[in-house]
Amino acid sequence: MKINEDMKKIIAKELAYVATVDGDSNPNIGPKRTMRYLDENHLIFCENTGGKHFNNIKENGKIAVAFADRENNHGYRFVGKATSYTDEEHMNLAKEKVGVVPKKACVIIEIEKIYTLDSGPIAGKLYKED
């Protein structure tokens, strides 16, 4: 799955909400203000708190990220595998792409599937590339 121009605009404008699960499949959801577009197959964010999302990512990497333009009932849910990095190269990459150095780790998400968050007949459908 590839992130297209419309998706990039929403990613740049809207707040990301991240969902992860622990080893017992208990969900966790919350905002990530540092979520950014990295390339057509990846998102990147700075992990600053080292909390539940961070532990879940280290445990299994399962993640979903939602961006919604509420005013226009339009958005996307990106599902994939998150990996956290603490090495200097990745911390510098986060600084370059996000604008700050992560306090705990740089997290990169490999996008496996993209779903619509639009209302109506395409709500929750797997995005199909044109």
Side-chain angles (χ1 to χ4, degrees):
M1 283 273 120
K2 292 183 180 179
I3 298 170
N4 66 27
E5 290 302 315
D6 183 56
M7 294 170 191
K8 283 189 217 178
K9 289 177 188 173
I10 288 180
I11 291 166
K13 179 183 170 197
E14 303 298 338
L15 177 63
Y17 281 86
V18 173
T20 60
V21 293
D22 65 18
D24 295 324
S25 298
N26 296 307
N28 190 49
I29 189 166
K32 287 292 180 190
R33 290 184 294 268
T34 61
M35 187 71 67
R36 302 288 188 274
Y37 167 85
L38 179 59
D39 63 37
E40 64 185 13
N41 298 304
H42 298 89
L43 297 172
I44 186 172
F45 72 92
C46 296
E47 176 54 53
N48 293 321
T49 64
K52 190 67 174 161
H53 285 303
F54 186 49
N55 291 328
N56 291 348
I57 288 167
K58 290 192 301 184
E59 188 172 351
N60 60 48
K62 294 177 183 179
I63 194 164
V65 183
F67 293 92
D69 176 349
R70 184 175 174 182
E71 186 176 313
N72 295 301
N73 287 325
H74 179 56
Y76 298 96
R77 177 170 41 106
F78 302 90
V79 177
K81 173 85 171 165
T83 306
S84 64
Y85 300 92
T86 57
D87 61 276
E88 185 177 353
E89 179 182 352
H90 284 93
M91 298 296 260
N92 287 334
L93 176 64
K95 181 179 180 184
E96 174 190 332
K97 296 295 183 179
V98 179
V100 295
V101 176
K103 293 179 182 164
K104 299 289 182 182
C106 165
V107 178
I108 296 177
I109 302 164
E110 182 177 357
I111 304 301
E112 297 169 350
K113 294 180 181 178
I114 301 171
Y115 297 88
T116 66
L117 284 181
D118 295 23
S119 59
I122 65 168
K125 302 290 184 192
L126 186 63
Y127 177 77
K128 300 210 191 271
E129 296 177 273
D130 298 328

